[in-house]
Amino acid sequence: AYNALLGEAGQAAFALFQEKLAQRGESGQTLDSARALFDLWIDAAEEAYAEVALSPRFREAYGDMINAQMRLRAAVQGEVEQAGLLLGTPTRTEVDSAHRKIVQLEREMRRLRDRLEAGGDASAGKSAEHPRAHR
């Protein structure tokens, strides 16, 4: 549906381009360079695309396409995870989990270091947070 709408925009662009050329011909305005012809084409194409892109049909088709791409991405990710498990390599889920744990440990280390630098007792804060820390 998305590609069909882009095709419609392309066809509309050619029709608008022909209209703009005809209007210039009727008014006696000439195109004196390839750049002027190109600019006229770009104006027609942008106008046609804007009309299609701002329509509810385009919004729906574009949303459907993006949703389908996200479902495909998730399915591919699931297949990659399965292949990783079969090959014994770390999966993205495992790497993401390890990364979260590392970030958490870095935060805890920073807090302990800050307490020590401030002259506080790091173990007192730790035992208050974790009552079984000294067993």
Side-chain angles (χ1 to χ4, degrees), residues 56-109:
R57 289 182 339 154
F58 183 85
R59 184 175 50 241
E60 184 176 327
Y62 188 74
D64 289 346
M65 181 185 70
I66 296 302
N67 288 337
Q69 286 177 339
M70 292 297 102
R71 285 190 306 273
L72 175 63
R73 182 181 184 276
V76 168
Q77 184 63 39
E79 292 300 316
V80 169
E81 292 266 338
Q82 286 295 326
L85 288 171
L86 291 173
L87 296 172
T89 59
T91 64
R92 180 181 187 123
T93 301
E94 292 170 326
V95 171
D96 286 348
S97 176
H99 183 261
R100 279 191 298 276
K101 289 175 186 174
I102 290 167
V103 168
Q104 180 184 359
L105 289 170
E106 286 174 340
R107 283 188 197 123
E108 289 175 12
M109 288 295 295

Side-chain angles (χ1 to χ4, degrees):
Y2 174 76
N3 286 337
L5 287 171
L6 288 183
E8 285 179 28
Q11 290 175 342
F14 280 115
L16 281 170
F17 184 56
Q18 287 176 334
E19 287 176 24
K20 289 178 181 289
L21 284 173
Q23 289 171 355
R24 285 181 154 283
E26 290 170 4
S27 67
Q29 295 176 326
T30 60
L31 296 170
D32 54 356
S33 69
R35 176 64 188 213
L37 183 65
F38 178 75
D39 288 345
L40 190 63
W41 162 248
I42 293 298
D43 289 344
E46 286 178 347
E47 196 174 316
Y49 178 76
E51 188 173 320
V52 168
L54 296 174
S55 72
R57 289 182 339 154
F58 183 85
R59 184 175 50 241
E60 184 176 327
Y62 188 74
D64 289 346
M65 181 185 70
I66 296 302
N67 288 337
Q69 286 177 339
M70 292 297 102
R71 285 190 306 273
L72 175 63
R73 182 181 184 276
V76 168
Q77 184 63 39
E79 292 300 316
V80 169
E81 292 266 338
Q82 286 295 326
L85 288 171
L86 291 173
L87 296 172
T89 59
T91 64
R92 180 181 187 123
T93 301
E94 292 170 326
V95 171
D96 286 348
S97 176
H99 183 261
R100 279 191 298 276
K101 289 175 186 174
I102 290 167
V103 168
Q104 180 184 359
L105 289 170
E106 286 174 340
R107 283 188 197 123
E108 289 175 12
M109 288 295 295
R110 195 174 314 113
R111 281 189 214 118
L112 288 171
R113 187 176 42 235
D114 291 347
R115 273 193 226 140
L116 287 172
E117 288 174 359
D121 182 8
S123 62
K126 179 108 174 144
S127 64
E129 291 174 15
H130 303 286
R132 294 189 281 169
H134 294 291
R135 288 186 185 180

